[in-house]
Each structure stands twice: as structure tokens, then as C-alpha cells.
Amino acid sequence: MSIVSAIRVSGVVKRFGSTAVLTGIDLDVPRGAVTCLLGPSGSGKSTLLRCIAFLEEATDGIIEIDGEPLGFGLDPDGVRMRLPDASLRKVRSKIGMVFQQFNLWPHMTALGNVAEALVTVRGLGRVEASEKAMAQLEKVGLAQRATHYPSELSGGQQQRVAIARALALEPKIMLFDEPTSSLDPELTGEVLNVMRSLAETGMTMLVVTHEIGFAASVASKIVFLDHGKLLVEGAPAEVFGKPRHPRIDQFLDTYLDRGAAGLL
Amino acid sequence: MNALSSIFGYLHGDDGWNILSGLANTIILWLVGSVLGAALGFFIAVARRYGPKPVDWLLKAHVEVIRGTPFLVQAYLLYFGGPYLCLALGDGSVCLTLEPFHAGLLGLTVYGSAYYSELFRAGFEAIPRGHIEAATTVGFTRWQTLRRIILPEMTMLVLPSMVNMTILLLKETAVLSIISVKELKFQVDIIGNRDYAFVESFTILALVYWALVEICGAVGRAAEARLSRYRFAHS
Amino acid sequence: MSWELFWLLVEASGLTILYSAVSIVVGFFVSAAVCAGVLSSNRPISAAARLFVSFFRGTPLLIQLLLIYYLLPQIGLNVPSAVAAVLGLSLCTAAYQAEILRGGFQSVPRGLIEAADMCGLSAFATFRRIRLPIAVRLTLPALTSEAIMILKSSSLISVVGVVELTTMAKDLASSTYQPLPIFAAAGFVYLVINLVVAGFGQLAERAARRGHA
Ligand SMILES: Nc1ncnc2c1ncn2[C@@H]1O[C@H](COP(=O)(O)OP(=O)(O)OP(=O)(O)O)[C@@H](O)[C@H]1O
Ligand SMILES: [Mg+2]
């Protein structure tokens, strides 16, 4: 009971104008394990992840990272209030994020992308930052591509650079929003492999994905979102095993790939 | 109110009438120049796209020369060019003399055509190949494809830049006052010089052109809004 | 037309290049401020910046130049006509460059800024390291066209008596009674300058394209 979750989401609501996209989410993301966030398109997965990254501000609710409130906290009377920017920056620095569209900075080389924040945020010297960045690129198997620009890399390579860029800042938690959805099937594998080995190092990961096979084999926890609500959560065997929730049956019919069928 | 009456206070006699006739000339030059320029520009773009290579090169050279030189220099060439040719030909029997107004209109048309042609060329190139191929597969002739597919699509693609170009041409008409075309600026200059009311006359001119440009922009935006519903059909 | 006359035109074109270059650079700094103003959340500042852009894009440069030329002495600023002319050119190009910059900043993909945000870059660092370089790369073609536009438009400063290529051509045309070859030669000089600028623009674009998705 005393173990603090890596991420704790309590009562998070997100509205865009009058449309409610998240309607009261409660979620615990365990430390040192992979949690996969599944759900049909438009169910609010990205929105939830972006709230956890504070790229969107939740309309209501509290998000705690490592036990510390992110962006909003409760005052002594239990009223939700905005926290100072310094606290936000500190808590947020524990999070790394990988996007579906990679979002590498096009005017910097792979090495430049990884080293940038080490210099401008961490204040490291150029040489030291480059060495650290190079070490990260080696981990994702791209040391030889260090001087290439993003436009000269394949999608899979770009995504691995993006992972290295996030890892260089030594986050405690990594968020992935459909990291392989804009990749060809052959390239998906290389990114999933990097993610697998990252999981083996004990990194806390929260992954939005449609790769059911990856979720079933790597995740210790599956969270299923539907219409902005958390529908089911549990170990893969519980969530995918029979009897299944009818919405999950439907979802699996749509997304299940041949490779994953055997795993369930 | 005081500032306004001091701006307009120096007008008297036929001044109002002269200004109006100048404004009329400006608008005629602008609209006729734009329409002729766009038509000629379209012709150039089509000829460069479908014509033989040498035609393309020749027209490209023409377009680059026009776009690479100031309109003022082109205007001077037209203005002085006519009489000069007469002198050079010696006996004066073959004489090419252009009225300033016609020289101005010719200049605007040729100048505009170069820019319009580039704009249409970009428009042609922006149409997805698939749309043209689709038309060919359902048996459209080349002409039908141009008329039914390429032109409507291109109109939507180039409309915003056409509005910008037309505005540019309006502003260039003021340059024609330098070669004594009796357009708006020319007429207002006469009054300004007479009364030493330079700041006042240039302020009025600026406001009139500004208003015309804003009107043109608003019309363009309205046209774009009307056409934009067709945009759903492709994307 | 003799080589001596042509050489006089070439010499005068140095002034055309000088005035244009100064105007473009001054205009760039003004445009950065105007662009920041247009994008500002402060209503009066944004409205004023929009008005500036609308006026200088909505009126003929010729009239702007004349207005500034006659207005400055009236408000007690007796500056040489070349200064008034460069001021006019700078303000005009500032309005155009501000629009170009605004377009550039608005087309920087949002994801790139979110990535900077997630890497902990401050707003200033994001501007300096991510938004500005990408916006400038996106706007290089438009900025090159604008530079060429100003080189051509600078011929208008001949009307306030500033010596440059067109003024020289006018003077030579009236003193030699050979307007046609002289203006044709002046046009040729403008053309060569603009082709060179366009060439440099293409080189810069190619250099920038390597670092572009
Ligand atoms: N900025 C926004 N403004 C308005 N509505 C939005 C915004 N962002 C997302 N939405 C809406 O919120 C809903 C959930 O979107 P979200 O991107 O979170 O879904 P998702 O589960 O990630 O879907 P997908 O699998 O397609 O990525 C959608 O209906 C979407 O239209
Ligand atoms: Mg999503």
C-alpha cells in the first residue's frame, strides 16, 4: 500500500469546448513495468496521455507523478489550484514522450536532436553533451547515423532517434503515443524491439498502441478506454482471456493481427 | 473634423471633377489591365505547358525579363520607346507613337501577364496528376479535361494569389503618373503642386488606394469563401 | 550606346544595391517587431501592428515614399532625401516581411514545439533554437522574392531625387537623347542583379533543404 505509483490519475476530466473527451478517469500506472493503453479510435487515449504530459491541461482532476502533483494540486481546503511553473517544470522533467509523428527537429542532425536539451536545458558543454547523445544513439542502434538529418532517415530510424532524444534526459517515465502507427510493418519491428529492451531495463512505460501482440507480451497491465471512460483494466490474461467484455471482443476483431492470435 | 476640412479645404473649381476623372482612369487601367494581363498570362502558361520547347524557352525568357526589371523602367521604355523609334527610322513614315494612356495600359498588361502566367503555371502543377489521369480514363478529350477538370480546380487553387496580383497591379497604376498618364495620382499631383499641399494630397491618395485595396481584398475573400465549398470534393 | 555610359549605369547600380540591402536589413528587424506585435495577445498592440501591415501593403510604394519625403520636414526632421527614401522602402518591406514571417511561424508544425516542451526547453530556447530557424527556412523562398521586389521597387526612389540606377538612366537619357538603349541597358543591369540574388536564394534554399523533412 505504501508503494507510490509512478503515475496516479484521479478524477481527470477533459473537455474541448462543450465536448467531454475524458469523463472522469482514475488510473494507477505501476512503477518499473509497461502499461498499455488500448481503445478504439477517438476514445481519448491520446488526450489522456497528453494530459499526463501536460501538453493539454485537464479540465478537472489531479495527476501525480511519483507522488508529486503535476500542474494542479489541492490546497489545504481540498480545492484544485494551479501550481507554480517551477514545480510544473520539475515534475514534468521526470517524463519523456515519444510521438506518433516522431517530431524530430528537421534542421538538426540525429545527434543534434539528442544533444539539444542536454546543452540548453541541462547546461552541459558541447563535447560532453555529444558524448552522452552518442551513447544514447548507440543504445537504439543508430550510432552510424548520428550526422544524418531526419529527412535522410527512415521512419523507423527517426522514431528510434526520438526515443534516444527522450531517454537522454534520463526520465523516470516514458510515454509513447502510437509510436509505430505511422510506420511500415517492416519498420514497426525495429521500434518495438527498442521498446522491448527498454522495458527490460525496468523503465516505467505507458504506451498507447494498436499492437495487441506487443501489449499482450510485454505489458504487465492493460487499460482499455472507451468513450472517454476507463472500461477495463488488469493483467493481459484477465483483459484478453475469456470471458471477455463485449467491447473488447469487438475491438480485438478489428485490430487483432495474426501474430497476436497465438499469444492469447 | 478640422483635420479633414484642412485636407479637403484646398479643393476648388474643377478639382473635384479632375480627381474623379483621374480615379475613373485609374480604375479603367486597373481593371482592363488586370483582365488583359490575366488573359495573356493564361495564354502564356498554356503555351509554355503544351507548346513546343522553343516556345517555352522564348516565353520563359520574356517572363524572366519582365519579372526581373522594375515596372518604372518598363514604363519609361514604352513611353520613350515610341517616339524614339520614329526618330531612329528617320523618315517618320513608319511611326510608332503611343498615347501615354495606351502605353500605360500596354505596360500594365504585359507586366501583369508575366506574373499571372507564373501563377497559372504553379496552379497547373498543383493539380494532382491523378485527377487528370482519372479524366483521361473516363474518356475526356484533352480540351474537355482542360475545361472541366483543370480550369475549375485551378481557379480555386490560384484565386488567393490572383487577388494579390490584382492588388499589386492597382498599386502599380500610380507609377504611370510618372509617364504622364492622367490617372488619379497625376490629377491629385497637379492640385498638390499648385497649392504646395503635398502632404495633404499624398495622404488623400494613400487613403483612396488603401480603400480600393481593402475592397478588392474583401471581394477576393468573399469569392474564396463561396468557392471553398467545392474544395470538399478533393483533398 | 558607349561603354562609358553603360559603366555609369553599373556604378549607379551599386547605390541601388546599397539602398535596397540597407532597407531589407532594417526592414527585417522592423518586421520582427511588427510580426511579434501582430501575434501578440495584447489587443491594442496587435491592432496597431495589423494596421501598419495593412497600410504599407495597401498603398502604392510611390505614394508612401512621397508622403514620407514631404512629411518628415513638416514634423521638423530635415534628413537627406536618401534617408527618407530608405525609411520608406524599409517600412514597406517590413510590412511584407512581417506577413511572410507570420506565415512561417504559423507553419512550424505544432508537434515540433511540443517535442521541445517535453524536452524541457524554455519558451525562449524554443523560440531561438526551434521556431526561428525553422520559420526562416520555411520562408527563404518568399524572403528571396521580397528582396528582388525591393531591388526593383527601389527604382521609385528616383522620384525624390535620390541618385541610383534609374535616376542615372533618366539623366543619361535626357542628356544623350538616347532613352531607348539607356533604359534597356538599365533594365538589363536590374535583370542581372536580380538573377544573381535569385541564384543566391536558391543556394541558400538548397543548403537549408538538407536539414528539412
Ligand atoms: N484539440 C481538440 N479539440 C477538440 N476536440 C479534440 C481535440 N483533440 C481531440 N479531440 C477529440 O477528442 C476525441 C478523442 O481524441 P483522441 O485523439 O484522444 O483519441 P484517440 O483515442 O487517441 O484516437 P486515435 O486512436 O484515433 O488516435 C476525438 O473525438 C477528438 O475529435
Ligand atoms: Mg491518438
Side-chain angles (χ1 to χ4, degrees):
Chain A
M1 236 31 250
S2 66
I3 301 172
V4 183
S5 304
I7 305 171
R8 165 163 284 173
V9 176
S10 345
V12 161
V13 172
K14 176 65 188 174
R15 271 190 288 270
F16 289 108
S18 60
T19 48
V21 174
L22 300 176
T23 55
I25 304 276
D26 296 295
L27 171 68
D28 274 297
V29 174
R31 203 179 283 278
V34 177
T35 303
C36 279
L37 193 52
L38 308 183
S41 184
S43 55
K45 307 178 296 291
S46 295
T47 306
L48 177 58
L49 210 68
R50 291 168 59 80
C51 284
I52 294 171
F54 211 75
L55 290 172
E56 307 281 2
E57 289 185 21
T59 315
D60 199 5
I62 299 289
I63 294 168
E64 285 165 302
I65 306 294
D66 247 354
E68 289 184 80
L70 170 80
F72 291 92
L74 298 176
D75 69 8
D77 298 330
V79 178
R80 187 172 183 258
M81 58 163 195
R82 182 74 198 251
L83 298 174
D85 280 355
S87 128
L88 171 63
R89 231 172 294 128
K90 175 168 157 278
V91 177
R92 213 183 186 194
S93 69
K94 296 178 181 177
I95 304 173
M97 180 145 177
V98 174
F99 302 84
Q100 181 178 349
Q101 297 301 335
F102 329 134
N103 291 343
L104 291 183
W105 300 309
H107 58 300
M108 296 180 186
T109 60
L111 191 71
N113 266 276
V114 182
E116 179 61 29
L118 294 174
V119 177
T120 47
V121 181
R122 292 293 154 82
L124 298 188
R126 281 268 158 216
V127 177
E128 198 185 343
S130 293
E131 277 168 9
K132 279 199 142 185
M134 203 55 168
Q136 287 301 338
L137 284 176
E138 251 156 48
K139 278 190 199 160
V140 297
L142 285 175
Q144 308 90 332
R145 303 291 160 127
T147 57
H148 288 236
Y149 284 90
S151 58
E152 300 163 338
L153 297 172
S154 74
Q157 290 169 337
Q158 289 186 56
Q159 192 60 298
R160 282 146 67 196
V161 173
I163 294 174
R165 176 173 71 180
L167 288 177
L169 295 161
E170 294 163 356
K172 295 197 162 166
I173 299 165
M174 285 285 284
L175 307 178
F176 295 83
D177 189 2
E178 302 200 27
T180 59
S181 291
S182 40
L183 297 177
D184 292 340
E186 318 98 86
L187 302 179
T188 299
E190 64 184 57
V191 171
L192 290 182
N193 282 339
V194 167
M195 290 171 64
R196 272 197 192 94
S197 40
L198 184 59
E200 277 160 20
T201 66
M203 173 65 77
T204 304
M205 294 161 66
L206 177 58
V207 184
V208 174
T209 184
H210 290 307
E211 298 288 332
I212 316 262
F214 175 84
S217 61
V218 181
S220 64
K221 179 175 180 175
I222 303 282
V223 177
F224 191 88
L225 218 59
D226 194 23
H227 292 302
K229 273 205 165 54
L230 208 155
L231 198 65
V232 182
E233 63 178 312
E238 293 163 31
V239 174
F240 295 132
K242 297 191 171 152
R244 283 201 284 257
H245 193 287
R247 287 291 290 154
I248 295 192
D249 253 343
Q250 247 178 31
F251 176 77
L252 289 181
D253 274 348
T254 321
Y255 286 102
L256 200 50
D257 50 287
R258 270 173 256 130
L263 291 163
L264 300 181
Chain B
M1 217 49 236
N2 229 336
L4 256 188
S5 65
S6 84
I7 285 178
F8 288 105
Y10 67 94
L11 296 181
H12 49 77
D14 285 339
D15 289 355
W17 179 246
N18 288 338
I19 291 176
L20 272 185
S21 81
L23 180 63
N25 276 340
T26 287
I27 290 179
I28 292 170
L29 283 166
W30 172 34
L31 294 183
V32 177
S34 300
V35 170
L36 293 181
L40 186 56
F42 183 75
F43 182 76
I44 292 174
V46 171
R48 285 189 62 184
R49 189 181 167 88
Y50 297 107
K53 270 261 143 47
V55 171
D56 179 26
W57 293 333
L58 219 67
L59 289 174
K60 181 180 163 64
H62 164 80
V63 167
E64 292 301 322
V65 167
I66 297 291
R67 291 183 353 127
T69 51
F71 182 55
L72 177 57
V73 171
Q74 295 167 20
Y76 276 134
L77 271 171
L78 273 171
Y79 179 66
F80 291 115
Y84 177 79
L85 273 182
C86 279
L87 290 176
L89 291 170
D91 65 352
S93 60
V94 193
C95 196
L96 184 88
T97 317
L98 282 172
E99 285 284 310
F101 185 87
H102 296 130
L105 188 56
L106 179 64
L108 271 182
T109 303
V110 172
Y111 177 78
S113 72
Y115 289 85
Y116 278 118
S117 78
E118 283 296 278
L119 203 152
F120 288 127
R121 230 162 58 87
F124 279 134
E125 256 142 50
I127 296 173
R129 284 210 66 80
H131 294 197
I132 298 168
E133 282 161 9
T136 319
T137 42
V138 297
F140 278 25
T141 64
R142 218 171 176 181
W143 168 244
Q144 282 173 322
T145 309
L146 183 70
R147 225 180 67 77
R148 306 287 307 256
I149 310 292
I150 298 181
L151 283 190
E153 278 203 49
M154 204 173 66
T155 309
M156 287 177 286
L157 286 170
V158 303
L159 192 67
S161 15
M162 275 193 71
V163 173
N164 279 340
M165 190 52 223
T166 308
I167 286 174
L168 186 77
L169 276 189
L170 168 63
K171 292 187 289 175
E172 297 291 14
T173 60
V175 172
L176 295 176
S177 62
I178 300 174
I179 59 162
S180 64
V181 175
K182 294 189 177 57
E183 45 68 80
L184 180 63
K185 179 177 174 293
F186 185 88
Q187 299 289 11
V188 175
D189 273 353
I190 292 176
I191 303 164
N193 285 327
R194 180 191 69 202
D195 299 347
Y196 291 103
F198 298 109
V199 172
E200 289 87 340
S201 52
F202 293 128
T203 304
I204 291 176
L205 280 171
L207 292 177
V208 172
Y209 283 105
W210 197 5
L212 286 175
V213 165
E214 286 299 321
I215 291 169
C216 182
V219 170
R221 280 190 296 276
E224 252 175 82
R226 279 200 68 142
L227 283 177
S228 66
R229 61 204 161 105
Y230 297 115
R231 230 170 267 242
F232 286 107
H234 56 90
S235 67
Chain C
M1 204 184 95
S2 67
W3 280 110
E4 286 80 56
L5 292 183
F6 184 71
W7 188 245
L8 285 174
L9 291 176
V10 172
E11 275 180 352
S13 77
L15 289 168
T16 286
I17 294 173
L18 173 71
Y19 294 138
S20 305
V22 171
S23 304
I24 287 163
V25 172
V26 172
F28 179 78
F29 287 105
V30 178
S31 81
V34 173
C35 177
V38 168
L39 296 176
S40 157
S41 53
N42 180 318
R43 291 255 174 133
I45 289 181
S46 169
R50 276 167 216 275
L51 201 68
F52 175 91
V53 171
S54 169
F55 178 81
F56 281 99
R57 282 166 39 109
T59 52
L61 174 60
L62 175 61
I63 289 170
Q64 294 164 18
L65 289 168
L66 288 164
L67 188 56
I68 289 173
Y69 178 75
Y70 285 108
L71 190 64
L72 287 182
Q74 266 203 7
I75 58 174
L77 287 171
N78 282 304
V79 294
S81 52
V83 172
V86 166
L87 179 66
L89 281 177
S90 302
L91 292 179
C92 181
T93 186
Y96 282 92
Q97 290 189 48
E99 279 297 282
I100 293 171
L101 273 186
R102 190 173 66 96
F105 277 117
Q106 283 176 346
S107 17
V108 176
R110 210 165 62 111
L112 301 186
I113 294 163
E114 289 182 347
D117 218 8
M118 289 314 296
C119 287
L121 268 66
S122 64
F124 179 69
T126 304
F127 178 82
R128 201 173 62 83
R129 300 287 302 166
I130 312 291
R131 295 181 62 190
L132 186 64
I134 294 176
V136 168
R137 274 167 179 77
L138 289 176
T139 53
L140 264 180
L143 287 175
T144 308
S145 313
E146 177 57 20
I148 290 173
M149 211 66 193
I150 283 301
L151 270 163
K152 289 185 287 177
S153 303
S154 70
S155 67
L156 292 176
I157 68 180
S158 61
V159 296
V160 291
V162 179
V163 177
E164 45 73 74
L165 178 48
T166 301
T167 314
M168 182 58 80
K170 238 168 39 177
D171 291 351
L172 293 181
S174 61
S175 61
T176 62
Y177 301 106
Q178 294 188 316
L180 200 53
I182 288 195
F183 280 116
F188 175 75
V189 176
Y190 276 110
L191 186 62
V192 169
I193 296 171
N194 287 329
L195 288 177
V196 169
V197 172
F200 274 121
Q202 258 166 16
L203 280 184
E205 262 172 72
R206 200 165 307 155
R209 199 174 305 141
R210 181 162 184 245
H212 226 286

